[in-house]
């Protein structure tokens, strides 16, 4: 989902009344970022509070490539990483993930081995092969065992876009919350729905209801579901004891537009890129009785802050034996403070850009290769900016491209290298970069090796369902990352 | 000002608390249009309720050219046109214009000859020559006589952008409202401020206060002023008797970006074009006690509707001897109805595009000429769309380019000519076009002839101020309209 997909963020159809209401009752973050323009690294960063370059969710296979966890991936979240749910356990929390995990699907990466107590959802994206007995469709798990597979047991009609998965995920969330309330146990729910990821889907009752097409139907169903979850918290009388945060793991995928791609508002490009459209996210904090209603924050925030903020809410300290990139946002959320901190825009293990205040310096520019672009793959359709949305990897480390995101949110007008404004801003940002790089210890790269043998051929529980497939011989290779 | 310049419309700095509050207390229009992508024709349409092609605010000098009323223009609003203030007089209204008139500056076009009772402002844009005794700077009038000239008597510091004009216009508005309230007279105030038109300006107290630079400072001052006007109405106890509408005359001028140009949100291109960025406008209706608070309307609206709606509010009928393009929006505003009507996008006298429902058909595409574009004049910076933002005038009258503005608000993905969706939508829209063209009687074109002799050399009252300049010999020529 993109920054521009919610009414509260200016989507011209205004079809998200529940999320808009959530914002009106809580705090809207206008300058909130994900940690990667792609799903897996972004989610790993959210759950570890650390940049993907630290937690291993990157590749060294190709410079500045976007890598994730397809079925062939050998790697996943290392045991050495401490995930938010593992830490919350110390404060007595029950942790549940509903929806997409994406931190690795081999047994050692299973979410229940990394702090979650319950799981209903899939380890990977709901990609194809769609309907094949020869290659595995993505499984859905209930806790340790698979409950079926996408397209076979959990239908997504690729022609109409109909699927009731968001409804299943919603019911699962409501039931979990009810159960926790009944047993008076604190809980962490990671509600990781994926209806707006291509192939986009919605339930029958939402199909055709949006002015925006199927993508809008999916947004409307998510909006409706969030409304039902918040209402459920209120009806159970625990809304004032429950902190809720809504955000997205990357910008809207413009390669899927217009039918399956969303809106990044006034920002440049989308998913896969380190322009604002790829990494600035819708974000809303909600906690009635604590967060003043109707607040708007310009705090530079990150999905990694949800790690530190959640720990703070639970009265816990972040681990002190490693670098944590997230910060505790409670002073921002509860007292309206502004914390000075930079945003680092990584693509793979390459620091592409840095934002400090309203200035953003690009040290590398790249959308995708000419080779890919000539095949019609365009991350910036209708938004080509000469020298900015480049199709070769352009290095600017000695003379970064600088934008003022207040005057120019769309990153269309680089500041003049000769201006005093440029020199002051770049000097400041370069200092931050130097500091950052000096202390950076990259993690073991997890997204380098692919192997057909590790696909979801025979997930645990497949025997009971008669859903086991025979894995081929192992043949590990470097993964191919085209973007 | 552009659609994307207000917080309520998703501007990422959210610096318009007063206008956002106005929207929260009133009704936000998300699909509201001006009648031309340029100022003079748009304002003529607002005040006459008629398309520029009918009221004469177009040129036949060049196909699809953007023409307006510079100092050299010979034409202006014809006496045969009935302006809103002329009609409101019949219901006892006192009418005042504060700010930019732009319907012609020769004596016969003076606003006090066309229904206004009072005027404080300028007949043209606050363009240069900036500081010249050889060619006239634009005068400001108080009623019949000039009160001074821009840059000479009413300063705009072109280096810092400082000017206190919005404050003068604000005070003028507050005083007029007080006076009308004291005398219990109904009033129509046309508050036509121009601080966001290049050269953009703001008062000292607003300079440097925006994250968006000087343009943002100007927006903030306008926002603050609107807040003060609304508060004034409330303090006088007449807010429930006063209908207020906020909108703009064209999209943000991206040629002036980033320092002096605003935001058109997710829409394509800006001022001068018939893409959404050129003609979709921010729009808010406010009338406490009558308009339900927090309403959002998808009614396709037009500045011309303000003519018909205002007449309706005053209990008057629109003239029946001519075609009026505006519709009465009161059923929309007060009862939440939706009225089916098309939007016609004209550039000069050429019908460039038509919107019906969520579909928009382009019959002609053009941004500006290659010749202009090669000089760096770009109405769509960073938004080039192949075959859409063309630099030659491309005719599509037989096979219009069709966009679905719900799925694709940015007009980047034309629908396939072969699709059933295309055929149905185009058939419908073509019927509307046929109907429209069959009954169209173009007005006498007012914007064809230019003459240095008609410039503001010696406006009435110049003698008293010693501000008369000597006009050169008359030498009427075809105006040159490069865009």
């Amino acid at each position: 989902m993109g920054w521009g997909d919610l009414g509260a963020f200016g989507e011209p159809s205004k079809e998200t009344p529940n999320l808009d209401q959530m914002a009106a009752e809580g705090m809207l973050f206008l300058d909130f970022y994900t940690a990667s323009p792609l799903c897996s690294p972004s989610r790993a960063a959210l759950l570890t509070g650390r940049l993907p370059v630290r937690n291993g969710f990157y590749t060294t296979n190709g410079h500045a490539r976007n890598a994730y966890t397809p079925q062939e991936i050998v790697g996943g979240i290392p045991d050495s990483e401490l995930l938010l749910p593992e830490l919350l356990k110390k404060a007595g929390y029950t942790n549940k993930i509903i929806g997409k995990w994406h931190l690795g699907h081999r047994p050692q990466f299973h979410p229940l081995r990394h702090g979650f107590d319950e799981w209903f959802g899939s380890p990977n994206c709901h990609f194809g092969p769609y309907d094949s007995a020869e290659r595995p469709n993505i499984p859905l798990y209930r806790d340790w065992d698979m409950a079926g597979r996408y397209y076979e047991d959990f239908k997504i009609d690729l022609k109409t876009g109909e699927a009731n998965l968001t409804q299943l995920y919603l019911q699962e969330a409501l039931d979990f919350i009810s159960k926790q309330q009944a047993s008076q146990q604190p809980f962490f729910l990671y509600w990781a729905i994926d209806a707006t990821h291509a192939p986009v889907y919605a339930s029958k009752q939402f199909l055709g209801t949006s002015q925006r097409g199927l993508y809008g139907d999916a947004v409307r169903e998510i909006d409706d579901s969030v409304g039902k979850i918040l209402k459920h918290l209120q009806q159970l009388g625990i809304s004032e004891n429950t902190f809720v945060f809504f955000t997205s793991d990357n910008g809207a995928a413009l390669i899927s537009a217009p039918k399956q791609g969303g809106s990044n508002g006034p920002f440049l490009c989308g998913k896969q890129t380190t322009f604002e459209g790829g990494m600035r996210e819708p974000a809303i904090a909600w906690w009635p009785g604590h967060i003043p209603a109707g607040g708007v924050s310009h705090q530079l925030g990150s999905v990694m802050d949800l790690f530190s903020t959640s720990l703070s809410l639970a009265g816990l300290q972040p681990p002190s034996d490693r670098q944590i990139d997230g910060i505790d946002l409670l002073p921002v959320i509860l007292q309206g403070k502004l914390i000075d901190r930079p945003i680092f825009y990584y693509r793979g293990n390459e620091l592409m850009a840095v934002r400090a205040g309203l200035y953003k310096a690009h040290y590398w520019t790249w959308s995708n290769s000419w080779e890919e672009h000539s095949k019609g793959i365009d991350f910036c359709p209708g938004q080509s900016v000469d020298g900015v949305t480049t199709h070769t990897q352009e290095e600017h480390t000695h003379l970064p491209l600088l934008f003022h995101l207040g005057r120019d949110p769309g990153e269309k007008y680089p500041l003049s290298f000769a201006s005093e404004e440029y020199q002051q801003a770049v000097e400041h940002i370069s200092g931050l970069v130097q500091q950052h790089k000096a202390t950076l210890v990259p993690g073991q790269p997890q997204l380098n090796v692919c192997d057909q043998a590790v696909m979801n051929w025979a997930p645990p529980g497949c025997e009971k369902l008669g859903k086991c497939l025979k894995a081929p011989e192992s043949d590990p290779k470097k993964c191919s990352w085209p973007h």
Side-chain angles (χ1 to χ4, degrees), chain A residues 305-322:
Chain A
D305 300 343
L306 300 179
F307 175 88
S308 304
T309 305
S310 299
L311 291 178
S312 176
L313 284 163
L316 298 169
Q317 292 294 322
S320 57
D321 63 343
R322 62 196 70 201

Side-chain angles (χ1 to χ4, degrees), chain A residues 14-22 220 223:
Chain A
K14 288 249 189 227
E15 294 183 333
T16 54
N18 295 287
L19 286 161
D20 298 352
Q21 181 68 21
M22 182 183 175
R220 288 199 65 236
D223 175 72

Side-chain angles (χ1 to χ4, degrees), chain A residues 291-341:
Chain A
I291 304 177
V296 170
S297 179
H298 288 289
Q299 172 66 43
L300 303 196
S302 163
V303 291
M304 298 180 290
D305 300 343
L306 300 179
F307 175 88
S308 304
T309 305
S310 299
L311 291 178
S312 176
L313 284 163
L316 298 169
Q317 292 294 322
S320 57
D321 63 343
R322 62 196 70 201
Q323 184 70 42
I324 300 293
D325 297 288
I327 61 172
D328 178 3
L329 290 178
L330 288 187
V332 174
I333 294 171
L334 301 180
Q335 294 140 42
K337 297 210 171 149
L338 280 177
I339 301 166
D340 189 23
R341 69 94 72 93

Side-chain angles (χ1 to χ4, degrees), chain A residues 203-230:
Chain A
S203 302
K204 193 165 190 177
Q205 63 185 114
F206 290 95
L207 280 182
T209 62
S210 166
Q211 297 183 39
R212 307 179 63 201
L214 181 57
Y215 182 89
D217 297 340
V219 171
R220 288 199 65 236
E221 185 165 14
I222 289 171
D223 175 72
D224 183 78
S225 300
V226 171
K228 289 198 167 108
I229 290 172
L230 299 184

Side-chain angles (χ1 to χ4, degrees), chain A residues 32-39 41-43 45-46 51 247-251 278-281 301-304 343-346:
Chain A
F32 198 88
Y33 291 87
T34 184
S36 163
L38 211 69
C39 41
S42 169
R43 285 155 195 257
L46 185 156
L51 283 165
T247 190
S248 173
D249 60 348
N250 48 240
M279 290 185 60
R280 204 186 307 199
E281 304 303 327
S302 163
V303 291
M304 298 180 290
I343 294 292
F344 297 105
Y345 302 69
Y346 271 90

Side-chain angles (χ1 to χ4, degrees), chain A residues 8-135:
Chain A
F9 288 83
E11 202 289 314
S13 304
K14 288 249 189 227
E15 294 183 333
T16 54
N18 295 287
L19 286 161
D20 298 352
Q21 181 68 21
M22 182 183 175
E25 294 170 7
M27 179 173 272
L28 193 68
F29 283 85
L30 293 164
D31 299 80
F32 198 88
Y33 291 87
T34 184
S36 163
L38 211 69
C39 41
S40 299
S42 169
R43 285 155 195 257
L46 185 156
L47 289 171
T48 60
R50 284 150 59 79
L51 283 165
V53 69
R54 296 193 214 273
N55 66 34
F57 268 67
Y58 68 95
T59 181
T60 51
N61 266 0
H63 181 258
R65 299 277 158 175
N66 288 312
Y68 69 110
T69 53
Q71 291 206 64
E72 295 85 352
I73 200 79
V74 169
I77 189 73
D79 278 339
S80 56
E81 289 298 316
L82 285 170
L83 269 62
L84 176 58
E86 286 178 79
L87 296 164
L88 288 175
K89 268 184 187 294
K90 295 183 193 161
Y93 276 70
T94 305
N95 307 303
K96 177 157 193 159
I97 166 171
I98 297 173
K100 188 163 81 167
W101 166 240
H102 234 196
L103 267 58
H105 58 276
R106 295 174 66 210
Q108 63 269 42
F109 307 126
H110 192 289
L112 271 57
R113 291 196 52 166
H114 290 269
F116 283 103
D117 301 294
E118 302 181 21
W119 183 23
F120 180 68
S122 59
N124 315 74
C125 270
H126 57 279
F127 281 156
Y130 300 130
D131 208 355
S132 167
E134 307 199 352
R135 293 179 70 229

Side-chain angles (χ1 to χ4, degrees), chain A residues 358-360 402-409 411 413 415 421:
Chain A
L358 285 166
Y359 293 102
K360 180 175 176 182
L402 188 74
F403 294 95
H404 185 285
L405 295 179
R407 295 198 297 270
D408 176 24
E411 293 167 285
Y413 309 97
L415 268 73
E421 186 182 6

